[in-house]
C-alpha cells in the first residue's frame, strides 16, 4: 500500500475522531463532575442539529456560524431546564435511577421533536464557503468541510483545556470531579456549579449537532445512533477526563476508519475490542481523573 | 327482622325470564344486528420511534388513509374497519410482543406491517401459532420462500425483484459501465440485495467485473472510509441498497469528494421519494427504484390516495412502505368481501390469486407462494423539475420491468406450502 494512501486515511479518520470528540467532551465533563450517565446527551446533540436547521430556514441569509451560535444558546437553555427541574433532585440516587430518568428525557425530547418538526428527514447544506474539496497528493480529494471539523475539534479541545486548567471555574470543576465533598466544605455553591457544567455539556452537544448537520440527515433518533460510541469513548478515556476523551476519540475514529478500509469484515469489532481491552487492563479508563 | 322469602314460582319466573332474555341476546335477531355492526379490527406493526420513525409514521398514516377510504365507502360488508396500530421499535423482540398483544388483547382478526424484515420474519412463527393472516410490508424474499406459510403473505415487491430490476435497468441504460462496486447495509437485506443485483447482471449475460463489495452497519455515522475505498477501487458504477437516513448520510458525505462526478452511474433499489424530499436542493441525478412512486400512474385511485393523504397530513405519501400498507388493507377488504366472512381459511383462499388495483398499479397475489407481483417495477433517474417541490424521476428515463418477469420462478423459491 502506498504511504500517501495511509496518510490520507489518517486525515479522513481524524475528521471523524474530532466530530466524536465534540460530542464526547460534553458528556465526559458532565459524567465526571455530576456523576450522572446522561443518556440524553445524544438528544441534546440532535436538538442542536434541528435548531440549526430551523434558524437557517427561518432567517434567510443567516451565516452558518451564527445559526450554530443561536442553536447552541437554545440547547443551553434546554439543558438548564433539564438540570434545574428534574436532574438536581436525583444526584444522590443510584445510577440505575439516573439512567432511567435521562432515558425518559430521550423519549420526551424525541416525541416533542416529532410533534414540532415532524418525522421527515431534514438536510442542512454544507456552507457555500466550505463546499468542495482540496486535492491531496495521489489525486485524492479531502472535503473542505471535513478539514473544518478537524479544526473545530482542535480549537474546542484547546479552549476547554484553557478553561479547565487556567481558570478558577475550571479548577473548581476539576476539584469537584476528584472530590465533591471538598467543594462544599470550601463554601462553594455546588448546585450552581453543577448547573453551569450541565449547561456547558449541553452547549457542546448542541454545537456538535449543528456541525454534524451538513454530514447527516437531521432526523429523530439521530442521537441514539451515536450515543453508544460516545459512551465507549468516555469509558475508554476515563470518566471525567478531557484528555482521555480526546485520545479515545482519536483511537476509535482511526480504528473505525482503518478497519473499514483495510479489514472490512472486522471493522465493527475493533471499537469493542478496544473497549474490552481497556476495561480489562485499565478499568478506570486511560486517563481517569479521580 | 323480616326476611323476604322468594317463592318457588317467583324464582322460576325470574330465572326463566332472565334466561329467555339472555337467550334472545345470544341467539336472537338483535345479536345478528350487533354482529353485523361490530367493527372488523386489523392490527398494524410499524416503527414509529427512533431512527426509523421517518419510515414508520408515514406507513401508519397511509394505513389510516386506507381505513378512511374504506369506511367512507361503506366499510367492509357494512362493518366498520378499525385499525389498532403498534410501534415495533424496529426490534424483533418488541415486534413479537406487540404481535401477541394485538392478537390476544386487542383481538384483531388480521395483522400487517413491519418496516424491517428482521421484525417481520420474527413474527412469522406467531402468525402460524395463532393461525392469523400476516401480510408483510417489508421486502424479504424469505416470507414467500423458506419461511412461507399459509398465513403469511408479502404482497409488495421483494428484495430480489427490486435488485434485479436495478441491474436490468443498468444493462439497458449504462451498457458501457463494466466495473461495478456495491455499498450495502450489513444485514440480510443488504447482502441479499447485492447478490440479487449480481444475479440480475448474470440473467442478462452482461459481462461485468466487481471491483469492490462493501457492507456498512445500519445507522452508520461515518461513510468517509467506505467512500474513499470505493473511489480507490475506480468503480464506474455503484449499486447500493442503503435506505432511509443511511442513504441520505452516504450521499451527503460522498458529494464533497466529487463522488458523483467520478462514478458514471449510481443506482439504488430502495429510493422512496422521502430521500429526495429529505435532501432537497442537495439531491443528485442518480437512478432510483421504489415500491411506490407517486407520479408515475395517473389513475383515479392514485389521485385519491395522494389527495386524501395531503388533505389529512399535508405533504406527499413519501415512504414506499406506506403504499404497501394501503395495499395490505385493501387486499384484506377485497378478500373478506369476496367470501363474505372474516374466517381465516376462507380469506386465505380469497387472497390467493387475488388481482386488484392499488395506487401504484395492478397487483396479483401468486397463489403458490403468496408473493405479490406488480404489473411493473419502475426505475427512473432523478432530475429537478420546477413543477414539483422536490426532485422527481425524469419521465424520459422511466424504465419498467413487468413484475412477472422479475418474480422468482416457483421451483427456486424454496417454498413448501402447508395446508392451513
Amino acid at each position: 500500500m502506498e504511504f500517501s494512501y495511509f496518510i490520507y486515511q489518517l486525515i479522513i479518520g481524524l475528521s471523524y475522531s474530532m466530530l466524536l470528540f465534540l460530542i464526547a467532551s460534553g458528556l465526559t465533563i458532565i459524567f465526571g463532575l455530576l456523576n450522572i450517565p446522561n443518556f440524553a446527551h445524544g438528544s441534546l446533540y440532535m436538538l442542536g442539529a434541528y435548531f440549526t436547521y430551523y434558524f437557517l430556514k427561518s432567517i434567510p441569509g443567516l451565516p452558518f456560524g451564527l445559526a450554530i451560535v443561536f442553536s447552541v444558546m437554545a440547547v443551553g437553555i434546554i439543558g438548564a431546564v433539564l438540570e434545574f427541574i428534574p436532574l438536581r433532585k436525583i444526584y444522590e440516587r443510584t445510577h440505575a435511577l439516573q439512567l432511567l430518568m435521562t432515558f425518559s428525557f430521550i423519549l420526551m425530547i424525541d416525541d416533542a421533536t416529532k410533534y414540532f418538526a415532524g418525522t421527515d428527514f431534514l438536510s442542512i447544506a454544507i456552507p457555500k464557503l466550505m463546499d468542495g474539496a482540496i486535492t491531496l497528493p495521489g489525486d485524492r480529494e479531502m472535503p473542505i468541510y471535513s478539514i473544518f471539523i478537524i479544526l473545530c475539534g482542535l480549537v474546542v479541545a484547546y479552549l476547554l483545556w484553557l478553561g479547565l486548567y487556567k481558570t478558577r471555574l475550571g479548577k473548581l470543576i476539576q476539584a469537584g470531579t476528584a472530590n465533591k465533598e471538598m467543594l462544599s466544605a470550601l463554601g462553594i455553591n455546588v448546585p450552581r456549579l453543577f448547573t453551569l457544567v450541565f449547561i456547558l455539556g449541553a452547549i457542546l452537544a448542541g454545537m456538535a449537532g449543528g456541525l454534524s448537520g451538513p454530514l447527516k440527515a437531521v432526523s429523530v433518533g439521530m442521537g441514539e445512533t451515536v450515543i453508544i460510541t460516545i459512551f465507549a469513548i468516555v469509558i475508554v478515556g476515563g470518566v471525567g477526563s478531557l484528555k482521555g476523551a480526546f485520545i479515545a476519540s482519536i483511537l476509535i475514529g482511526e480504528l473505525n476508519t482503518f478497519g473499514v478500509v483495510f479489514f472490512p469484515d472486522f471493522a465493527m469489532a475493533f471499537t469493542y475490542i478496544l473497549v474490552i481491552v481497556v476495561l480489562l487492563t485499565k478499568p478506570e479508563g486511560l486517563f481517569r481523573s479521580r | 327482622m323480616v326476611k323476604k322469602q322468594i317463592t318457588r314460582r317467583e324464582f322460576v319466573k325470574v330465572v326463566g325470564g332472565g334466561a329467555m332474555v339472555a337467550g334472545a341476546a345470544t341467539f336472537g335477531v338483535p345479536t345478528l344486528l350487533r354482529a353485523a355492526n361490530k367493527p372488523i379490527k386489523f392490527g398494524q406493526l410499524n416503527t414509529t420511534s427512533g431512527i426509523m420513525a421517518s419510515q414508520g409514521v408515514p406507513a401508519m398514516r397511509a394505513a389510516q388513509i386506507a381505513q378512511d377510504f374504506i369506511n367512507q365507502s361503506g366499510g367492509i360488508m357494512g362493518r366498520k374497519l378499525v385499525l389498532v396500530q403498534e410501534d415495533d421499535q424496529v426490534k424483533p423482540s418488541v415486534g413479537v410482543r406487540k404481535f401477541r398483544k394485538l392478537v390476544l388483547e386487542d383481538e384483531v382478526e388480521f395483522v400487517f406491517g413491519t418496516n424491517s424484515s428482521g421484525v417481520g420474519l420474527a413474527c412469522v412463527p406467531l402468525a402460524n401459532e395463532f393461525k392469523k393472516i400476516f401480510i408483510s410490508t417489508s421486502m424479504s424474499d424469505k416470507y414467500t420462500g423458506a419461511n412461507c406459510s399459509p398465513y403469511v403473505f408479502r404482497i409488495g415487491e421483494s428484495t430480489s425483484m427490486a435488485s434485479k430490476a436495478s441491474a436490468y435497468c443498468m444493462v439497458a441504460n449504462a451498457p458501457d459501465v463494466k466495473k461495478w462496486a456495491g455499498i450495502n447495509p450489513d444485514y440480510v437485506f443488504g447482502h441479499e440485495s447485492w447478490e440479487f443485483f449480481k444475479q440480475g447482471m448474470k440473467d442478462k449475460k452482461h459481462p461485468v467485473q466487481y471491483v469492490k463489495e462493501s457492507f456498512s452497519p445500519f445507522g452508520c455515522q461515518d461513510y468517509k472510509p467506505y467512500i474513499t475505498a470505493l473511489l480507490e477501487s475506480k468503480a464506474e458504477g455503484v449499486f447500493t441498497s442503503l435506505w432511509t437516513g443511511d442513504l441520505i448520510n452516504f450521499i451527503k458525505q460522498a458529494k464533497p469528494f466529487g463522488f458523483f462526478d467520478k462514478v458514471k452511474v449510481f443506482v439504488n433499489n430502495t429510493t422512496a421519494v422521502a430521500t429526495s424530499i429529505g435532501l432537497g436542493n442537495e439531491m443528485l441525478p442518480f437512478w432510483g427504484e421504489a415500491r411506490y412512486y407517486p407520479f408515475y400512474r395517473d389513475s383515479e385511485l392514485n389521485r385519491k390516495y395522494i389527495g386524501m393523504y395531503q388533505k389529512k397530513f399535508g405533504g406527499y405519501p413519501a415512504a414506499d412502505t406506506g403504499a404497501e400498507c394501503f395495499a395490505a388493507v385493501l387486499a384484506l377488504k377485497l378478500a373478506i368481501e369476496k367470501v363474505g366472512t372474516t374466517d381465516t381459511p376462507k380469506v386465505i383462499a380469497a387472497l390467493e390469486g387475488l388481482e386488484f388495483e392499488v395506487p401504484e398499479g395492478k397487483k396479483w397475489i401468486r397463489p403458490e407462494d403468496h408473493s405479490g407481483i406488480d404489473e411493473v417495477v419502475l426505475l427512473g433517474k432523478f432530475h429537478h423539475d420546477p413543477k414539483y417541490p422536490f426532485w422527481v424521476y425524469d419521465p424520459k428515463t422511466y424504465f419498467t420491468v413487468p413484475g412477472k418477469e422479475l418474480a422468482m420462478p416457483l421451483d427456486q423459491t424454496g417454498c413448501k406450502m402447508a395446508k392451513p
Side-chain angles (χ1 to χ4, degrees), chain A residues 9-23 45 142 146-147 149-150 153 212 215-216 225-226 228-230 233 248-258 260 271, chain B residues 217 219-226 253:
Chain A
Q9 290 300 347
L10 207 62
I11 303 172
I12 294 281
L14 196 60
S15 72
Y16 181 45
S17 300
M18 287 301 108
L19 198 61
L20 292 176
F21 171 70
L22 287 170
I23 316 172
Y45 156 86
M142 183 68 203
S146 296
I147 299 173
I149 294 287
I150 297 178
S212 301
L215 298 171
K216 286 171 193 172
T225 54
V226 297
I228 300 297
T229 313
I230 298 305
I233 287 169
S249 296
I250 292 181
L251 280 175
I252 287 182
E254 294 291 0
L255 267 180
N256 182 66
T257 300
F258 279 86
V260 168
T271 304
Chain B
C220 177
Q221 293 298 298
D222 189 46
Y223 281 102
K224 292 194 289 297
Y226 297 97
Q253 293 176 26

Side-chain angles (χ1 to χ4, degrees), chain A residues 53-251:
Chain A
Y53 173 86
Y54 279 104
F55 281 122
L56 285 171
K57 196 182 162 208
S58 50
I59 310 174
L62 183 75
F64 181 68
L66 219 51
I68 301 257
V69 171
F70 289 167
S71 145
V72 156
M73 280 157 49
V75 178
I77 292 169
I78 290 174
V81 172
L82 289 182
E83 199 281 336
F84 208 74
I85 299 169
L87 261 188
R88 62 169 45 185
K89 307 215 166 35
I90 57 159
Y91 284 141
E92 303 306 325
R93 308 294 282 275
T94 60
H95 270 174
L97 190 89
Q98 296 168 344
L99 213 68
L100 215 59
M101 183 180 271
T102 58
F103 189 74
S104 77
F105 292 168
I106 297 183
L107 301 179
M108 286 188 285
I109 293 175
D110 270 7
D111 276 352
T113 309
K114 264 191 269 183
Y115 180 79
F116 288 109
T119 51
D120 286 347
F121 293 115
L122 306 174
S123 181
I124 299 171
I126 293 181
K128 282 253 155 29
L129 269 175
M130 289 182 272
D131 210 355
I134 55 168
T135 308
L136 297 178
D139 203 24
R140 297 192 178 95
E141 313 278 352
M142 183 68 203
I144 297 168
Y145 193 77
S146 296
I147 299 173
F148 171 69
I149 294 287
I150 297 178
L151 293 176
C152 286
L154 295 176
V155 168
V156 167
Y158 179 67
L159 290 178
L160 284 176
W161 177 81
L162 272 187
L164 275 181
Y165 292 90
K166 304 288 168 193
T167 65
R168 184 170 178 276
L169 179 68
K171 288 186 173 146
L172 288 178
I173 294 176
Q174 281 193 67
T177 305
N179 188 339
K180 222 175 293 179
E181 288 70 31
M182 192 61 83
L183 277 185
S184 33
L186 289 171
I188 306 295
N189 185 344
V190 175
R192 202 182 61 189
L193 182 68
F194 276 28
T195 310
L196 279 177
V197 165
F198 195 83
I199 293 174
L200 174 68
I203 280 175
L204 287 167
M207 184 176 64
L211 290 171
S212 301
L215 298 171
K216 286 171 193 172
V218 178
S219 59
V220 175
M222 69 185 278
E224 288 145 56
T225 54
V226 297
I227 196 71
I228 300 297
T229 313
I230 298 305
F231 263 96
I233 287 169
V234 169
I235 288 171
V236 167
V239 172
S241 166
L242 197 64
K243 187 165 127 199
F246 189 75
I247 303 286
S249 296
I250 292 181
L251 280 175

Side-chain angles (χ1 to χ4, degrees), chain B residues 337-350:
Chain B
E337 289 189 335
K338 196 166 144 193
V339 287
T341 168
T342 56
D343 182 39
T344 300
K346 288 189 180 131
V347 176
I348 291 175

Side-chain angles (χ1 to χ4, degrees), chain B residues 97-142:
Chain B
R97 183 155 52 78
K98 295 287 179 76
F99 193 107
R100 277 185 191 282
K101 182 210 164 255
L102 285 172
V103 172
L104 297 176
E105 280 179 40
D106 302 310
E107 299 181 332
V108 304
E109 310 215 37
F110 309 95
V111 183
F112 67 95
T114 77
N115 290 83
S116 156
S117 298
V119 180
L121 289 170
C123 292
V124 166
L126 284 184
N128 295 336
E129 181 191 328
F130 292 128
K131 301 193 186 305
K132 287 280 175 196
I133 292 175
F134 170 54
I135 301 184
S136 156
T137 59
S138 50
M139 290 174 76
S140 176
D141 286 84
K142 293 204 169 73

